[in-house]
Amino acid sequence: MKEQIQYAAQVPQMKKYIKKRFRCSDEAFEEINWRALGRAKKKLKLHQSIRTSKMIYGWLNIGVQKRYMGQDSTCPCCGNATETQIHLYRCTNQKMRDTLKNSITTVKSKLVQDGIPSTVYNPFIGEICHMVGENHPDNQYDIKCESHKDAVQSQRQIMKEAILRGILHSDWTRKLHEQWTPRPPTKDGKKVHQKDAMEQTVSLIQAAWTIFENQWSQRNEILHGNDNELLVTHKQQKLKRYMEIRTNKYQMLRRCDHNMVEHPISDVIKWSRQYMTTILRNLEEMHKQYLKELKIEEEGLQPITAFFSPVRAASPPCQGDPG
């Protein structure tokens, strides 16, 4: 009863939002295995569940999100592209590529451990590789079972990048149910627990989320480390601006502020990003003050003609007047 009440209270508005957010049809929405998604979410800790929800609905604090706030949207890992959610998987940064390859290998082992047949995990991982542009050297994740290509085709019809978000078509569960076989008992006759098709679908969802978590963790490690391409680019831009002010100090600063740009270049290059930012902030304020004083000075100067009274033109001589 509790689930039915919760369904009636939340699903209609959620369905309306999802359809609009992902341009999803009614038919595609109904084919999504929401029950397995809910079970997978319940296994997460609170902070992981919040982050996963942000990933599923495209709310992550990445470049495209920062662009709306007037910030740089460039990927901090490669510095060559706008950071979208799919770019987290396609980034050319070597650490990001290595993390992705290791994640795929890890989740494959976990799926085997959970008893998922190769005729299901091969096309599942193959579709992920297809989405992220990852080609395995020996193509071991290619779809080898024709009957399971149906699940891949169905998956592609629900919404873009759905498999990376852990949003799976119900055909995966159907295929798992068809392939499900109980594990043989142990040597002493004890039964071995075997996940059913729904539990195995949860494992597929967790595999997709594991790949995301690893990519997200590696991305943030680069973002807050010395390998951040944005930091390198920003420092170069700040150094360029400092040199511009230094070169044009007579046109940009008051004479009393010239000492701020007379540091040895060898020392300037060694400045930390924070110190360079502070110096530039001060220089920009000094430049504004220079322009303000220059404007006041220009307004105070008047042309020399302003100090003379205008002279009326002499009247022409009347006719008949002497010479």
Side-chain angles (χ1 to χ4, degrees), residues 145-169:
C145 182
E146 291 293 329
S147 64
H148 289 76
K149 286 186 178 181
D150 296 340
V152 173
Q153 295 301 324
S154 299
Q155 180 66 40
R156 293 177 181 178
Q157 293 173 4
I158 53 177
M159 66 178 69
K160 188 177 181 181
E161 303 167 16
I163 195 168
L164 298 178
R165 302 171 192 259
I167 302 175
L168 302 186
H169 196 282

Side-chain angles (χ1 to χ4, degrees), residues 38-59:
R39 287 192 183 184
K41 282 271 284 172
K42 288 181 180 179
K43 295 177 179 291
L44 300 176
K45 295 181 180 179
L46 179 59
H47 70 281
Q48 292 175 322
S49 179
I50 293 173
R51 182 167 56 247
T52 300
S53 293
K54 291 181 179 180
M55 180 270 293
I56 290 174
Y57 296 109
W59 300 334

Side-chain angles (χ1 to χ4, degrees), residues 240-264:
K240 182 179 179 180
R241 178 59 175 167
Y242 177 87
M243 295 304 298
E244 180 185 356
I245 298 175
R246 178 189 177 103
T247 304
N248 303 290
K249 61 183 179 181
Y250 291 103
Q251 292 80 35
M252 299 183 70
L253 299 175
R254 299 171 297 178
R255 288 186 177 273
C256 61
D257 296 327
H258 286 186
N259 64 305
M260 290 293 294
V261 290
E262 293 177 349
H263 302 282

Side-chain angles (χ1 to χ4, degrees), residues 110-166:
K110 182 64 170 62
L111 294 178
V112 172
Q113 182 181 341
D114 289 343
I116 298 177
S118 61
T119 50
V120 174
Y121 71 68
N122 269 328
F124 177 80
I125 295 179
E127 179 62 7
I128 290 179
C129 291
H130 170 75
M131 289 297 301
V132 302
E134 178 63 34
N135 297 315
H136 200 275
D138 56 6
N139 296 318
Q140 62 175 310
Y141 303 126
D142 285 349
I143 300 175
K144 298 178 181 178
C145 182
E146 291 293 329
S147 64
H148 289 76
K149 286 186 178 181
D150 296 340
V152 173
Q153 295 301 324
S154 299
Q155 180 66 40
R156 293 177 181 178
Q157 293 173 4
I158 53 177
M159 66 178 69
K160 188 177 181 181
E161 303 167 16
I163 195 168
L164 298 178
R165 302 171 192 259

Side-chain angles (χ1 to χ4, degrees), residues 238-239 242 245 260 263 271-286:
K238 292 180 186 298
L239 179 61
Y242 177 87
I245 298 175
M260 290 293 294
H263 302 282
W271 286 351
S272 66
R273 183 174 60 89
Q274 292 81 0
Y275 187 70
M276 174 68 81
T277 300
T278 302
I279 291 294
L280 263 185
R281 188 184 301 119
N282 294 336
L283 287 174
E284 296 295 353
E285 289 298 323
M286 293 174 184

Side-chain angles (χ1 to χ4, degrees), residues 1 8 90 122 176 273 278 287 318:
M1 178 64 71
R90 296 176 178 174
N122 269 328
L176 286 166
R273 183 174 60 89
T278 302
H287 178 55
C318 297

Side-chain angles (χ1 to χ4, degrees), residues 74-107:
T74 307
C75 172
C77 303
C78 66
N80 296 324
T82 298
E83 188 186 33
T84 60
Q85 193 158 302
I86 188 63
H87 183 75
L88 291 174
Y89 303 90
R90 296 176 178 174
C91 181
T92 57
N93 180 285
Q94 191 58 48
K95 289 184 178 180
M96 295 289 283
R97 302 311 301 173
D98 291 342
T99 299
L100 180 61
K101 289 181 179 181
N102 293 335
S103 297
I104 291 174
T105 301
T106 300
V107 299

